């Protein structure tokens, strides 16, 4: 039985989040919008490891000449976080934020799914202006991607 998968499926459906499900990789994939921008988010139920992994991608890529500076900033931000961490792909400069929620003995519910989703979006929105400023001369909001659900996290 896939307890984490079932809980994620129920939570996304109850929140009316339209998603794609990649059966081969077992990943829920969708977009969420905030007042600042739209993010791509993936939820990965890892049944064997008893984890729910949330990966949220930024709608921007860091130019190669700014990646060293961005790595320093991400390192600084990571030291101040209690839950989750930033990573940057060294090949293309894509930034993502990752949160792992332990799910002992399959004990998962909508609240845990909301924590994984909400913590990611709230944390990124909090740091987005600073991250954009580090790249230089970009607007204070990133260009929005097409979205299928708008969420408000305070």
């Amino acid at each position: 039985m896939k307890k984490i998968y079932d809980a994620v499926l129920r939570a996304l459906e109850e929140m009316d989040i339209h998603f794609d499900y990649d059966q081969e990789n077992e990943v829920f994939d969708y977009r969420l919008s905030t007042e600042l921008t739209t993010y791509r988010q993936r939820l990965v139920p890892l049944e064997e490891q008893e984890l729910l992994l949330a990966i949220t991608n930024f709608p921007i890529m860091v130019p190669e000449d700014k990646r060293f500076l961005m790595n320093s900033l991400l390192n600084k931000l990571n030291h101040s976080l209690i839950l989750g961490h930033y990573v940057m792909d060294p090949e293309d400069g894509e930034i993502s934020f990752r949160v792992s929620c332990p799910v002992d003995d399959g004990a998962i519910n909508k609240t845990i799914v909301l924590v994984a989703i909400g913590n990611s979006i709230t944390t990124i929105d909090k740091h987005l202006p600073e991250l954009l400023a580090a790249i230089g001369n970009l607007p204070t909001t990133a260009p929005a991607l097409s979205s299928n659900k708008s969420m408000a996290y305070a």
Side-chain angles (χ1 to χ4, degrees):
M1 179 179 238
K2 293 186 172 189
K3 292 180 181 181
I4 302 171
Y5 168 87
D6 291 340
V8 171
L9 178 63
R10 277 193 310 277
L12 293 175
E13 288 175 344
E14 287 177 21
M15 292 185 291
D16 196 29
I17 295 177
H18 304 283
F19 60 87
D20 292 319
Y21 183 71
D22 177 348
Q23 277 189 307
E24 183 179 335
N25 296 307
E26 299 181 340
V27 174
F28 293 89
D29 192 338
Y30 53 91
R31 301 206 186 287
L32 291 177
S33 295
T34 68
E35 290 181 9
L36 294 179
T37 193
T38 299
Y39 302 102
R40 175 183 181 208
Q41 192 167 64
R42 288 162 290 156
L43 294 179
V44 185
L46 301 169
E47 303 286 345
E48 287 183 25
Q49 295 92 337
E50 295 187 321
L51 286 173
L52 172 60
L53 176 62
I55 304 168
T56 308
N57 293 90
F58 281 55
I60 56 172
M61 302 291 190
V62 178
E64 193 169 347
D65 65 328
K66 303 286 185 179
R67 291 182 193 163
F68 181 79
L69 174 66
M70 183 59 72
N71 270 328
S72 296
L73 176 57
L74 295 177
N75 187 41
K76 176 185 139 198
L77 293 173
N78 281 338
H79 281 282
S80 69
L81 297 173
I82 295 171
L83 182 62
H85 64 280
Y86 289 100
V87 295
M88 182 177 60
D89 184 325
E91 298 300 317
D92 64 9
E94 181 178 44
I95 297 173
S96 62
F97 186 79
R98 298 175 183 206
V99 173
S100 301
C101 295
V103 183
D104 294 334
D105 297 324
I108 184 168
N109 57 35
K110 183 179 176 182
T111 302
I112 292 172
V113 177
L114 284 172
V115 167
I117 294 171
N119 177 70
S120 299
I121 300 299
T122 303
T123 301
I124 297 169
D125 264 3
K126 176 182 175 184
H127 297 131
L128 187 61
E130 185 176 5
L131 294 167
L132 290 173
I135 295 170
N137 297 332
L138 290 178
T140 55
T141 59
L145 303 171
S146 63
S147 76
N148 51 22
K149 184 67 179 176
S150 185
M151 303 290 280
Y153 291 99

